Amino acid sequence: VSVGEALVTACQLASAPEEEKNYTIEFFINEPENNNAFAYYQGLFSVLQPYLDNGVLLCNSGRTSFEDVCMQETTVDFSKERCEAYLSKYYKEALPDILCTSSDILANGCIEGLLAKKASPKKTWPLITGLGTDTESLENLISGYQALTVHLPSEALIPHCLQAAQHILAGEETPFSSQAYHNGQISVPAVLQSASVIDAANYQSLLIDTGIFSFETPAEEE
């Protein structure tokens, strides 16, 4: 949901119909076996589907179903290959406006695919999303290759994991049933943690100044 809302804000999708604007978009989501892939897809499309329905968002490849947007493997090479294939087949005249990926690894692959096609971030460059917040993703944010990533505060889950382990070892039910997550087959007790959308404007205040992430700003290329 966070990424979808960030795209709505960044591209001003709500006002696009009155302004007769539309944006091309392609999706790159982790392999379907990944435990976060379906939840990410559901949250993202709960926000973006109305804009796909009204033509504000145009997916030239037509690949919008969960099965179609998932990757066979979450690797830079696989993402790069798919990105290059899309560019060659569906975007011969102009680059897509948005490349929405569910992982910084997949975002890196898209960036490499664009660069292989001689695209330049100083000219027309897609808005690329990611998830994970590693050193490379922050470098990509600062350099303009990547528009945003999502920080998942895994450190905040540590006390909940300890609490769950204590209950399981004691033969008791975990206390998280009120926030159960349905994985398509069963409802799994869960702790739902808010994620933060990180971009070039807020990474310093949200990650560096708070001590969550240690990062040295890369030197600018001459």
Side-chain angles (χ1 to χ4, degrees):
V1 175
S2 298
V3 173
E5 292 173 344
L7 290 176
V8 169
T9 300
C11 299
Q12 298 182 334
L13 299 184
S15 61
E18 296 88 41
E19 299 172 4
E20 298 184 346
K21 291 183 178 180
N22 53 46
Y23 301 88
T24 52
I25 187 170
E26 297 294 340
F27 301 95
F28 301 73
I29 293 180
N30 302 75
E31 65 272 18
E33 296 80 14
N34 184 292
N35 62 339
N36 291 320
F38 188 64
Y40 182 96
Y41 176 86
Q42 280 188 314
L44 179 69
F45 275 77
S46 70
V47 176
L48 297 187
Q49 189 63 54
Y51 300 103
L52 288 162
D53 292 341
N54 68 9
V56 168
L57 291 178
L58 305 173
C59 182
N60 288 356
S61 71
R63 298 173 72 96
T64 58
S65 70
F66 179 65
E67 293 76 13
D68 281 344
V69 299
C70 282
M71 316 294 284
Q72 292 180 15
E73 48 188 62
T74 302
T75 64
V76 170
D77 288 344
F78 197 91
S79 179
K80 176 185 177 183
E81 181 181 337
R82 178 172 289 190
C83 181
E84 288 184 279
Y86 283 173
L87 296 176
S88 297
K89 187 171 183 179
Y90 305 109
Y91 297 93
K92 295 179 180 180
E93 302 298 326
L95 295 176
D97 296 307
I98 304 167
L99 295 178
C100 186
T101 87
S102 64
S103 164
D104 289 333
I105 295 172
L106 299 179
N108 290 339
C110 288
I111 291 168
E112 289 194 11
L114 288 161
L115 294 175
K117 292 293 185 179
K118 308 301 182 184
S120 171
K122 294 183 179 180
K123 297 180 181 179
T124 303
W125 186 262
L127 188 161
I128 301 177
T129 76
L131 184 151
T133 321
D134 57 16
T135 299
E136 191 168 5
S137 71
L138 293 185
E139 290 176 349
N140 286 336
L141 289 175
I142 295 168
S143 65
Y145 287 124
Q146 188 170 331
L148 61 90
T149 185
V150 175
H151 176 62
L152 301 176
S154 55
E155 64 280 353
L157 295 176
I158 294 174
H160 299 293
C161 290
L162 291 173
Q163 185 181 15
Q166 290 171 345
H167 281 271
I168 292 171
L169 290 173
E172 302 169 350
E173 290 187 7
T174 60
F176 311 131
S177 299
S178 62
Q179 299 187 73
Y181 164 72
H182 199 280
N183 65 6
Q185 295 185 353
I186 62 172
S187 291
V188 181
V191 173
L192 304 182
Q193 194 73 34
S194 297
S196 300
V197 175
I198 306 296
D199 57 25
N202 66 16
Y203 82 91
Q204 181 72 39
S205 60
L206 293 183
L207 297 181
I208 311 302
D209 295 345
T210 56
I212 292 175
F213 204 97
S214 178
F215 176 75
E216 184 175 344
T217 303
E220 295 185 1
E221 295 182 2
E222 296 183 359

